[in-house]
Amino acid sequence: MDPEGLARLDRRIAGCRACPRLVDWREEVARTKRAAFADWTYWGRPVPGFGPPDARLVIIGLAPAAHGGNRTGRMFTGDRSGDVLYQALYDVGLASQPASAHADDGLELYGVRVTAPVHCAPP
Ligand code: SF4
């Protein structure tokens, strides 16, 4: 996909408020937090896809987790499913590191993009 077009789409997604019920939920979770993450500033917005725009492989999940992607701002980051996924991608040479901890941890994906049809954490 055109890199500029995908970057524009990601920006639009991150600012989307089209689904009132999902917007209320993601923002409530971001305010109330889980005790273990009390010191985090949750992302609390739609989570864009992650990975290069020219990826030949796309991995599609369901939606971000309330205290995973909704907290960290990166797909499959901050929950157990992400731990398994990124370790597997690293094992086959598709990720630069075996863990995805937060959006600024330096992780790069090689030829794979991770996304979901629903970009907001559902209740
Ligand atoms: S689920 Fe998708 S359409 Fe609905 S508010 Fe989130 S980003 Fe927008």
Side-chain angles (χ1 to χ4, degrees), residues 16-28 120-121 123:
C16 183
R17 305 183 65 82
C19 307
R21 185 165 161 256
L22 290 177
V23 170
D24 285 352
W25 176 249
R26 76 185 192 213
E27 293 180 356
E28 182 185 330
C120 293

Side-chain angles (χ1 to χ4, degrees), residues 24-94:
D24 285 352
W25 176 249
R26 76 185 192 213
E27 293 180 356
E28 182 185 330
V29 168
R31 271 193 310 274
T32 55
K33 306 182 184 181
R34 176 176 285 168
F37 306 122
D39 57 342
W40 275 74
T41 300
Y42 277 46
W43 174 251
R45 295 160 59 192
V47 182
F50 174 59
D54 60 348
R56 296 180 62 198
L57 174 66
V58 177
I59 297 174
I60 301 174
L62 291 175
H67 300 280
N70 191 54
R71 171 172 56 92
T72 63
R74 182 194 283 161
M75 280 286 172
F76 284 102
T77 296
D79 59 44
R80 280 294 299 146
S81 61
D83 294 346
V84 172
L85 174 66
Y86 288 111
Q87 178 70 61
L89 292 175
Y90 177 75
D91 288 346
V92 296
L94 295 176

